[in-house]
Amino acid sequence: MTSPFHIEEIYSDDGSNSLRLPRRQVGNSPQGFAMTLLADYTLRTRAALPSAAIVALLTESGVTTAGARTAISRLARRGVLEGSRHGRRSSYRLSRAAAANLSSGGNWILTSATAAVPWDGCWTIVAFSLPQDRSAQRRALRSQLRWLGYAPLYDGLWISPYELTPRARAQLEQLTLGTVTVFRGRQSALGSVSDRAPIEAWDIDAITGHYAAFLESWTSLLPLVRSGQVDGAAAVRARTEVMDTFRRFPTLDPQLPVELLPPGWLRQPARELFAAVYDGLAQPAEQHVRAVVARFTDSAPLGIRAHTTADLIAGVRGDGGANPAEAARPAEWRSAEPAVRCDELTARAPAELT
């Protein structure tokens, strides 16, 4: 399952030079798989795993040995992994920055799939214009807007049904220099065939197809999960794949208002199926990861623990007792405060980011 929007990043790039998360590729990339694998079992403790064990786990999931080693090396260069060496053995663990980003991303994935808050009928419009010689900045801005839950209604005009929060505003300020303006208001329909509804910025048919494909792919596995017939390498692979697939939905469907969606929208059924598979495989998958790691260590592996969807919602804690999700939450695209009625905004001037 891939995004119809060609999403470049799974998680937000906060502009830090020390951490560059892998770009989203068509299909499941080895780097994305490796990142999901380590996050699923070491995010809470940032435990270091032998590189040979990581390679073994990735090859069990269909990644080639060469692809697994390359993925580990590239993630280390990006600042996602930290390496250490003991004699002839090398080990890797998630960096603090990566753990914080992945923790906040995991929380975002689950909370964004819950029922949306009542919509006030307003749209937030982000208008920007960047010269052709600033293509890198344009790509970064579009990637960040997609992360924030926006979609392009027209080139240079992105929209969202929710307000731009101060935290999101601050993130956009890092990417722009007087080139972006933000407005919020209602659509004034022209009443003609040329009028384009804002919801058309999202390909609703394509999103429906992705939800349907997800349900079709994973529903048949659920009885086997519940009866304990999925274990070992199969449990790890299925759990990694279901997370690697489901985590794309919050960007495809950023809590779009139900008032604008077709009846029977599949957001909640997909979330429930994901939780059933992901949580149902937590114990057998953790046991297998421990067994594989034990083959490459002289002592019992420590710090390997599968988290559940409830843990992700609560905020998975890293080492030292700090909650990475609180240290670096993703930019929010919806205010947690009560929504301001659109009619109350008429007296406000358009807000500029600079």
Side-chain angles (χ1 to χ4, degrees), residues 204-226:
I204 299 301
D205 290 340
I207 300 172
T208 300
H210 280 263
Y211 275 133
F214 179 84
L215 292 168
E216 182 179 0
S217 296
W218 292 99
T219 297
S220 61
L221 185 68
L222 190 54
L224 301 179
V225 171
R226 287 173 171 166

Side-chain angles (χ1 to χ4, degrees), residues 38-324:
L38 267 74
D40 278 345
Y41 306 100
T42 69
L43 183 58
R44 180 178 281 102
T45 62
R46 291 180 57 235
L49 303 184
S51 59
I54 300 174
V55 170
L57 289 166
L58 289 174
T59 54
E60 288 181 346
S61 294
V63 180
T64 65
T65 300
R69 290 172 177 164
T70 299
I72 294 171
S73 177
R74 290 179 176 173
L75 288 174
R77 289 200 300 269
R78 290 176 176 272
V80 177
L81 300 182
E82 297 174 344
S84 61
R85 198 166 190 87
H86 303 280
R88 299 179 60 183
R89 293 181 178 176
S90 59
S91 299
Y92 290 89
R93 68 175 184 175
L94 292 170
S95 67
R96 288 185 182 275
N101 193 291
L102 291 165
S103 179
S104 60
N107 178 273
W108 174 66
I109 288 168
L110 271 297
T111 56
S112 63
T114 57
V117 297
W119 182 49
D120 65 357
C122 293
W123 295 92
T124 299
I125 302 99
V126 176
F128 63 89
S129 178
L130 293 168
Q132 291 298 323
D133 60 355
R134 292 163 72 177
S135 58
Q137 184 182 4
R138 187 185 299 107
R139 285 194 301 271
L141 177 57
R142 287 174 175 171
S143 176
Q144 187 66 27
L145 286 170
R146 185 70 71 185
W147 163 259
L148 294 172
Y150 286 73
L153 185 62
Y154 301 105
D155 187 29
L157 189 71
W158 289 57
I159 64 170
S160 167
Y162 300 109
E163 289 193 75
L164 184 68
T165 65
R167 187 179 292 113
R169 185 184 300 274
Q171 292 219 358
L172 289 184
E173 285 178 343
Q174 299 175 11
L175 297 171
T176 60
L177 295 172
T179 57
V180 174
T181 304
V182 180
F183 303 88
R184 185 162 177 82
R186 294 183 184 274
Q187 177 195 13
S188 181
L190 296 176
S192 66
V193 293
S194 62
D195 191 32
R196 188 183 187 199
I199 192 63
E200 293 180 28
W202 289 265
D203 190 337
I204 299 301
D205 290 340
I207 300 172
T208 300
H210 280 263
Y211 275 133
F214 179 84
L215 292 168
E216 182 179 0
S217 296
W218 292 99
T219 297
S220 61
L221 185 68
L222 190 54
L224 301 179
V225 171
R226 287 173 171 166
S227 62
Q229 298 182 57
V230 184
D231 56 12
V236 176
R237 178 169 184 168
R239 197 165 186 263
T240 304
E241 287 183 352
V242 76
M243 170 59 87
D244 203 50
T245 302
F246 185 79
R247 67 182 177 183
R248 307 178 195 188
F249 281 116
T251 311
L252 293 172
D253 173 21
Q255 281 197 351
L256 295 172
V258 293
E259 299 94 325
L260 302 175
L261 298 172
W265 192 243
L266 299 176
R267 178 192 298 149
Q268 190 60 26
R271 184 193 186 282
E272 293 172 355
L273 178 59
F274 164 74
V277 173
Y278 190 76
D279 293 348
L281 293 176
Q283 182 176 359
E286 177 187 312
Q287 291 174 347
H288 183 71
V289 171
R290 288 180 177 274
V292 171
V293 173
R295 302 205 309 258
F296 301 96
T297 59
D298 297 326
S299 58
L302 301 175
I304 297 174
R305 182 181 173 188
H307 50 248
T308 64
T309 54
D311 295 327
L312 289 173
I313 293 173
V316 178
R317 294 184 175 272
D319 55 354
N323 188 343

